[in-house]
Each structure stands twice: as C-alpha cells, then as structure tokens.
Amino acid sequence: MRAFKTESKKLLNLMINSIYTNKEIFLRELISNASDAVDKLNFKALTDSSIQINPDDLAVRLSFDKDARTLTISDNGIGMTAEELEQNLGTIAHSGSQEFKQEHAEHQGDDVDIIGQFGVGFYSAFMVASQVRVVSRAFGEDSAHVWESDGLEGYTIEDASRESHGTDVILTIRENEDATDSGLSERFDTYLSEWGLRDLVQRYSNYVRYPIQMMVTKSREKERPADAGDDYQPEYEDYQELETLNSMTPIWKKRSSDVSEEEYNEFYKASFHDWENPARSISFHAEGSLEYDALLYIPAKAPFDLYSRDYQKGLALYSSNVMIMEKCAELLPDYFNFVRGIVDSADVSLNISRETLQHDRQLRAIASRVEKKIASELVSLRDENRELYEQFFENFGRGLKFGIYQSYGAKAADLADLLLFWSAQQEKMITLAEYAAAMPDTQKAIYYAAGDNRERLAKMPVVKGVLARGYDVLLCTADVDEFTFQAMRNYQAHGLPKVYEDAAAAEAARKAQADGAEPELEDRTFELKNVASGDLDLATEDEKKDAEAATKEHENLFAAMKEALAGKVERVSVSARLAEAPACITTEGALSLEMEKVLARGPEADAGELPRSQRVLELNTKHAVFDKLVAAQAAGDAERVQLMAELLYDQALLVEGMLPEDPVAFAQRVCELM
C-alpha cells in the first residue's frame, strides 16, 4: 500500500464530499479525462508522422455489470505508464492534462481540445464508488499497470495486462442507501442502467468531440416461420448493439451558413422541450480577450410559469463542449429571462469543481455581449417582421417594461425602443419612436392613459379631450405600464425634422431644401404625461383666461363642493380639457388613480393602509350640469349642491373604472335626483 502524496485523508475527504454538489457529475469528469487521453494520442499522431492511427477508431466506451456492480469507462487514448499513474493519480490535484494544455496552448481548440484543469475530477469517482481500479497501457509500451484504491488511506500499483494502449477506469458502485433522518436516499443503481448512463451522457457530455459508445439492448421482430399459419402472432427478441450516445459536434460551433433554419429549430425543440419553433434563432462567435460561441433562441410563446417565482432563467454554460451549468442565471438580465440557449467558452475560469466560475468579470463581459446581441436581434425582428414581433411582445413585453421600472429608468435607453403601445389615433400598436415621428410640431409631450381596458380608455373624457386637440394618446392596459413611464420620466426621439424657432428660419430651411439641401434633423426629448394627471398645459390663452374668470366667479361654489366631498378631493377646479363630460377626476403628484388600483390588487393591500392619490374634481363650466350647480348655489340650496357634488364625484370614479366608496348611497342619490 502506497500513501497518497498529500494529507490524503483530509484532502480526499474534501474531494469526495465538499467540492462537488452533485454526485452524478462523476461521469462527466471521467469521460472528460478519457476524452483528454484520446486527444493527446490524436495530437501525437498529427505531429509525428511515424505514428499511424485511424482517427475514426478513437472513442470512449462505457460498460456496466449489474451483478458485479461495476461501471467501466474505457478509452483507446495515450494511456499511462506506472510512473504516470503514480504522478497523476497518486498525487492529488496534479493535472497531466493541464500540463499538456499549457505545453501546446497554441493548438488548443484546433488540433487539441483538452478539458482537464485541476487534476481532481478523477476523485469524484469516490462519491459513487467504494473501489476504483484503473488499468492503463501507455502508447508504445508493451506492458500495462493497474492503480487501485478505496479512496481512504492509499493505493496500490501493480503490473497488469491490457490488449492495447488506453485506460480502463473500473468503478465498484456503492449499494443503494435508504433515507435517514439526516438526509435523502441514494439510488446508486442509476449508474448501472442503460437509461441512467444515456441520460448523464446526453446531459453533460453530449458534445465531447469523440464518440461515447455503449452496448445497448434493442428489440426486433423475429423472422416469420415458413409454416406459420394465419393466426401467427409476431414474436420479438432482444439483441445487443454498439451505439454512440453523444452527438459530438455541437450545432453552435458550426458556421451559421452551414446550418439550416430547420436544423436550428429541431435542436431548439429537442433541447428545450418546446413544441413550437422559436420566433428567432441567434448564433454568433466572439473573439478577443474572451472567445466563446453562443446559440440563443427567442421562444414563440411564453412558458406557463414565466412570471412565477419558481421560474429559473439562465443559459446553459459549456466549457470545451462539456456542460458546466444547466442554467447560468448570470448570463441573462431579468428582462431577457425568456431567452433560452447555450454559451460555450474554453476561456472562462472555472472553480475546482467546474460547476461555477471563479471570476465574475469574465461572466459579466460575456453577459454584456449577449444582452446587446439579444437587443439587436429584437430590433431586427421588430423592423423586419412586425406581425411576429407583436406576437413576441404580447408574450414577453411585460418583462421588458418591468426591466425599465426595476432599474429605476437606468435601462430605459436600452429598452424603450423595444416597447409597443396601442395608439388611440392610429388604432394599432406603435413604438415610442413612431409616436414621436407622427406628432405635430407643436406637441411638447407624449400622452398616455392607463387602465385595464382599451375600449374603456378610448371613451374616457380626458382621452377624448387630448385627441380633440390633434394629439395621439397611448392606451396602456398592462399593470406595469404607468410604473414604467414614471421610471422613464421622458423619452428622447432621434432624427426628427428640425423645429425652427420662428417663421423666417423655417422659410429659409424650406428654400434650402427646395434647392437640394438635406432636411435638418434633431433629437428631441419629450416628457411622458398621463392625460389624467396634473395640468397638461393644452389650453389656449383664451381658454386659460376663461378658466381663470370662471374660477374667480364661482369661488364660493367650488369651496362648498370641496367641503361637501369631505376630504375626498384636494380641490375642485375648472377644467380646460373636457369637451362633452360634465366632470372628471384628475390627480396631482406621482400617484395616479390607476397606480392606486394596481397597488390595491397587490400583496401589500392586506398589510395596512395603502397610499391614496391626491384627487382633483374638474368641472366643465360649459356643460348644462354646471348651470344647475350655479343655480342651486345662488338659491342657497346647500343640500342640493352637496347632492350634486357627491353624484358628480361618484360618476367620475365610475368613468375611471373605480366603484364609488358607498355604492348604496350612490344609488340613493340617483333616485333622489330623479
């Protein structure tokens, strides 16, 4: 018995129980080691003409024996001498692959694709095996040697026999363990079954560059006997066949010109378990300080759990074709959480278990590039196939809006032009840029109305008032819309026709264009304004004078109505925005009526008193109802003024899609007035 050349018991215990969080990755590690051994021999043959091997014969072979409880991972690679067994397996954390990789760094990824880095992957075998036996014969050697250990105190190295060069790693798989009070049960039998091994290979090692083969059991119909009668029933028999379990060449490393759209779609459906083709496939290769390949997909429809707390975002992270993480959340921002795909890089610095990365800056660099690429592809989809983009936005637009709100507007510059809203004027979905391009030169803001129903919003008096002045209104029906606009505050439109300060400058520009000059363009910034909040400043000078005069003339009436509404409104005022309706409710401050409704539906509603919007009751002084109010005030009929004030307030609430605070009292007032 030879002792390990380290503090073996402590370090091996660390290898087996602390470094890896998932036992099933042992097969990934051992297959990666086998692939490295095959790669070394292949590289040796490429650089030494005296070595003759058939590259098609290079492979990794899996086999298992249920009765003996052994799993064998074999390769026909370069093999190891007794000294190399001592050095590579007897010295924990010594990586022969890493040394080879450094010596031939200029060929990495070309003639050679070494995976190993730390020299500890082999010891993951002890997570599932009670005994490990390694039989190896070095290329060019006549004799083989066997390394054997139980992973406790030490190991033995003895002479052995093997027909040809290569290595066999033979694991004696542990017995199943029943559940205890301190943990879950362990079903080690999974590693002694065809389906279990096939699943692990396809999940973690599907794209190792050499075939991973295994004898599998298949069924076939027996030949029909010559004397079989009409009542003959077909009989079947099982047989063994050598099958390659992995696909080897990853689709994301092929040139996009060599892959058809159908192939991309089929890979997406098979890999991400979707029945529909993706809306967009994105394949690109990045070079520089970090080199990586990426294949991304934008799904056609949102998964059912996309907006649930249990949904896990992330891209599959591979290193040299070996899967490191099934879902690396750091590669995607939350607002692109719907994107599925793969990133593969040999340059990322993995930790010792190869399950996470050591340097966040590498991950951030890749994530930044991925984010920009996704945004660029969405812009292309928006401009090239508007119908498909609108379908995409219906499924995933809420997340883009939430990205702006969640970042307090910091991501507005990146995401604002991807948003779509319903135009009340054009009666279709438009972008903010399209809204700005269609607005009159005199318009100074982008107007929107927020609610839960597009048809109701279009009929609201405050919306009609803005439309009547020739300005479009965006009808926003998502609960996050107004929060998004509050976070954005304004929108900068690029490349708009220049607005000149005076008629002379405009005329000079017109003449210059008539003589062949290019139209002057400029960037303009527009405030985002809710049509139901604050003063929109749309009134003409004459309308403002009329409102001031009416306010002064009916000052006592407005004071009486405010008192009648008992603190429900901040004030009662003359409206310059109403054309047909007798009254409307607007708000002052950051909290609108729609935001108040959204908060009332949220989980905070049960926690205590919610914030309330600062409401203003605006009256249309040209409406017949206002004349009735003036008459009641002049007659000293305080009760009628109060009745009409409360009724107008409740009616305005109904128009906003909100119930009166006391529906019974509202009904009684209507009957009393009738």
Short mmCIF file of all heavy atoms in Angstrom, two decimals, residues 161-184:
data_model
loop_
_atom_site.label_atom_id
_atom_site.label_comp_id
_atom_site.label_asym_id
_atom_site.label_seq_id
_atom_site.Cartn_x
_atom_site.Cartn_y
_atom_site.Cartn_z
N SER A 161 -2.35 -6.60 -17.39
CA SER A 161 -2.36 -6.86 -18.84
C SER A 161 -3.52 -6.11 -19.48
O SER A 161 -4.58 -5.98 -18.89
CB SER A 161 -2.49 -8.36 -19.12
OG SER A 161 -3.70 -8.86 -18.57
N ARG A 162 -3.26 -5.60 -20.66
CA ARG A 162 -4.29 -4.94 -21.47
C ARG A 162 -3.90 -5.13 -22.93
O ARG A 162 -2.74 -4.98 -23.30
CB ARG A 162 -4.39 -3.45 -21.14
CG ARG A 162 -5.65 -2.77 -21.64
CD ARG A 162 -5.67 -1.29 -21.24
NE ARG A 162 -6.97 -0.68 -21.42
CZ ARG A 162 -7.42 -0.18 -22.57
NH1 ARG A 162 -6.64 -0.21 -23.65
NH2 ARG A 162 -8.62 0.35 -22.64
N GLU A 163 -4.87 -5.46 -23.77
CA GLU A 163 -4.55 -5.83 -25.15
C GLU A 163 -3.89 -4.70 -25.93
O GLU A 163 -3.02 -4.94 -26.76
CB GLU A 163 -5.82 -6.29 -25.89
CG GLU A 163 -6.34 -7.63 -25.41
CD GLU A 163 -7.51 -8.11 -26.24
OE1 GLU A 163 -7.84 -7.43 -27.25
OE2 GLU A 163 -8.09 -9.15 -25.91
N SER A 164 -4.32 -3.47 -25.71
CA SER A 164 -3.77 -2.35 -26.48
C SER A 164 -3.69 -1.11 -25.59
O SER A 164 -4.08 -1.13 -24.42
CB SER A 164 -4.63 -2.06 -27.72
OG SER A 164 -5.94 -1.69 -27.32
N HIS A 165 -3.15 -0.05 -26.18
CA HIS A 165 -2.99 1.19 -25.43
C HIS A 165 -4.34 1.75 -25.01
O HIS A 165 -5.37 1.52 -25.65
CB HIS A 165 -2.22 2.22 -26.27
CG HIS A 165 -2.90 2.53 -27.58
ND1 HIS A 165 -3.90 3.46 -27.71
CD2 HIS A 165 -2.71 1.99 -28.83
CE1 HIS A 165 -4.30 3.51 -28.96
NE2 HIS A 165 -3.59 2.63 -29.67
N GLY A 166 -4.32 2.52 -23.94
CA GLY A 166 -5.55 3.14 -23.44
C GLY A 166 -5.73 2.88 -21.95
O GLY A 166 -4.84 2.35 -21.28
N THR A 167 -6.88 3.25 -21.44
CA THR A 167 -7.14 3.18 -20.00
C THR A 167 -8.56 2.69 -19.73
O THR A 167 -9.51 3.09 -20.43
CB THR A 167 -6.95 4.57 -19.35
OG1 THR A 167 -5.62 5.02 -19.60
CG2 THR A 167 -7.20 4.52 -17.85
N ASP A 168 -8.70 1.83 -18.73
CA ASP A 168 -10.00 1.41 -18.21
C ASP A 168 -10.12 1.91 -16.78
O ASP A 168 -9.26 1.62 -15.94
CB ASP A 168 -10.14 -0.12 -18.21
CG ASP A 168 -9.94 -0.73 -19.58
OD1 ASP A 168 -10.40 -0.12 -20.56
OD2 ASP A 168 -9.33 -1.82 -19.68
N VAL A 169 -11.16 2.67 -16.51
CA VAL A 169 -11.47 3.09 -15.14
C VAL A 169 -12.67 2.26 -14.69
O VAL A 169 -13.77 2.41 -15.23
CB VAL A 169 -11.77 4.59 -15.05
CG1 VAL A 169 -12.10 4.99 -13.62
CG2 VAL A 169 -10.59 5.40 -15.57
N ILE A 170 -12.45 1.39 -13.72
CA ILE A 170 -13.49 0.45 -13.29
C ILE A 170 -13.95 0.84 -11.90
O ILE A 170 -13.17 0.81 -10.93
CB ILE A 170 -12.94 -1.00 -13.29
CG1 ILE A 170 -12.34 -1.32 -14.67
CG2 ILE A 170 -14.05 -1.99 -12.94
CD1 ILE A 170 -11.36 -2.45 -14.66
N LEU A 171 -15.21 1.23 -11.80
CA LEU A 171 -15.79 1.65 -10.52
C LEU A 171 -16.64 0.53 -9.94
O LEU A 171 -17.49 -0.04 -10.64
CB LEU A 171 -16.66 2.89 -10.70
CG LEU A 171 -16.11 4.07 -11.51
CD1 LEU A 171 -17.12 5.21 -11.50
CD2 LEU A 171 -14.78 4.53 -10.95
N THR A 172 -16.44 0.24 -8.68
CA THR A 172 -17.36 -0.65 -7.96
C THR A 172 -18.40 0.25 -7.30
O THR A 172 -18.09 0.97 -6.33
CB THR A 172 -16.61 -1.48 -6.90
OG1 THR A 172 -15.61 -2.26 -7.56
CG2 THR A 172 -17.58 -2.40 -6.18
N ILE A 173 -19.59 0.25 -7.86
CA ILE A 173 -20.63 1.20 -7.44
C ILE A 173 -21.17 0.84 -6.06
O ILE A 173 -21.40 -0.34 -5.75
CB ILE A 173 -21.77 1.24 -8.47
CG1 ILE A 173 -21.23 1.65 -9.84
CG2 ILE A 173 -22.87 2.20 -8.02
CD1 ILE A 173 -20.61 3.02 -9.90
N ARG A 174 -21.37 1.84 -5.24
CA ARG A 174 -21.87 1.64 -3.89
C ARG A 174 -23.28 1.04 -3.90
O ARG A 174 -24.03 1.16 -4.88
CB ARG A 174 -21.92 2.97 -3.13
CG ARG A 174 -20.57 3.64 -2.94
CD ARG A 174 -20.74 4.99 -2.26
NE ARG A 174 -19.49 5.70 -2.16
CZ ARG A 174 -18.61 5.56 -1.17
NH1 ARG A 174 -18.88 4.70 -0.18
NH2 ARG A 174 -17.48 6.24 -1.16
N GLU A 175 -23.65 0.44 -2.79
CA GLU A 175 -25.01 -0.06 -2.62
C GLU A 175 -25.96 1.12 -2.39
O GLU A 175 -25.55 2.18 -1.90
CB GLU A 175 -25.08 -1.02 -1.43
CG GLU A 175 -24.24 -2.27 -1.58
CD GLU A 175 -24.82 -3.25 -2.59
OE1 GLU A 175 -26.02 -3.13 -2.92
OE2 GLU A 175 -24.08 -4.14 -3.05
N ASN A 176 -27.22 0.91 -2.76
CA ASN A 176 -28.23 1.95 -2.50
C ASN A 176 -28.31 2.24 -1.01
O ASN A 176 -28.11 1.35 -0.17
CB ASN A 176 -29.60 1.52 -3.01
CG ASN A 176 -29.64 1.44 -4.53
OD1 ASN A 176 -28.87 2.11 -5.21
ND2 ASN A 176 -30.53 0.62 -5.06
N GLU A 177 -28.62 3.48 -0.69
CA GLU A 177 -28.76 3.88 0.71
C GLU A 177 -30.18 4.36 0.96
O GLU A 177 -30.70 5.20 0.22
CB GLU A 177 -27.76 5.00 1.03
CG GLU A 177 -26.31 4.58 0.88
CD GLU A 177 -25.35 5.74 1.11
OE1 GLU A 177 -25.85 6.85 1.43
OE2 GLU A 177 -24.13 5.54 0.97
N ASP A 178 -30.81 3.83 1.99
CA ASP A 178 -32.16 4.25 2.35
C ASP A 178 -32.12 5.61 3.02
O ASP A 178 -31.09 6.03 3.56
CB ASP A 178 -32.81 3.22 3.28
CG ASP A 178 -33.03 1.88 2.58
OD1 ASP A 178 -33.23 1.89 1.35
OD2 ASP A 178 -32.97 0.84 3.27
N ALA A 179 -33.26 6.28 2.97
CA ALA A 179 -33.35 7.60 3.59
C ALA A 179 -33.19 7.50 5.09
O ALA A 179 -33.65 6.55 5.73
CB ALA A 179 -34.69 8.24 3.25
N THR A 180 -32.50 8.49 5.66
CA THR A 180 -32.34 8.56 7.11
C THR A 180 -32.91 9.88 7.60
O THR A 180 -33.35 10.72 6.81
CB THR A 180 -30.84 8.47 7.49
OG1 THR A 180 -30.16 9.60 6.90
CG2 THR A 180 -30.23 7.17 6.94
N ASP A 181 -32.88 10.06 8.91
CA ASP A 181 -33.41 11.31 9.47
C ASP A 181 -32.58 12.51 9.03
O ASP A 181 -33.07 13.64 8.98
CB ASP A 181 -33.39 11.23 11.01
CG ASP A 181 -34.37 10.18 11.52
OD1 ASP A 181 -35.30 9.83 10.76
OD2 ASP A 181 -34.18 9.71 12.66
N SER A 182 -31.33 12.28 8.69
CA SER A 182 -30.44 13.38 8.36
C SER A 182 -30.30 13.65 6.87
O SER A 182 -29.61 14.58 6.47
CB SER A 182 -29.05 13.11 8.94
OG SER A 182 -28.53 11.91 8.39
N GLY A 183 -30.93 12.83 6.02
CA GLY A 183 -30.76 13.06 4.59
C GLY A 183 -31.68 12.23 3.74
O GLY A 183 -32.54 11.48 4.24
N LEU A 184 -31.52 12.38 2.38
CA LEU A 184 -32.34 11.67 1.42
C LEU A 184 -31.71 10.33 1.07
O LEU A 184 -30.54 10.07 1.36
CB LEU A 184 -32.51 12.52 0.16
CG LEU A 184 -33.14 13.90 0.35
CD1 LEU A 184 -33.10 14.66 -0.97
CD2 LEU A 184 -34.57 13.77 0.85
#
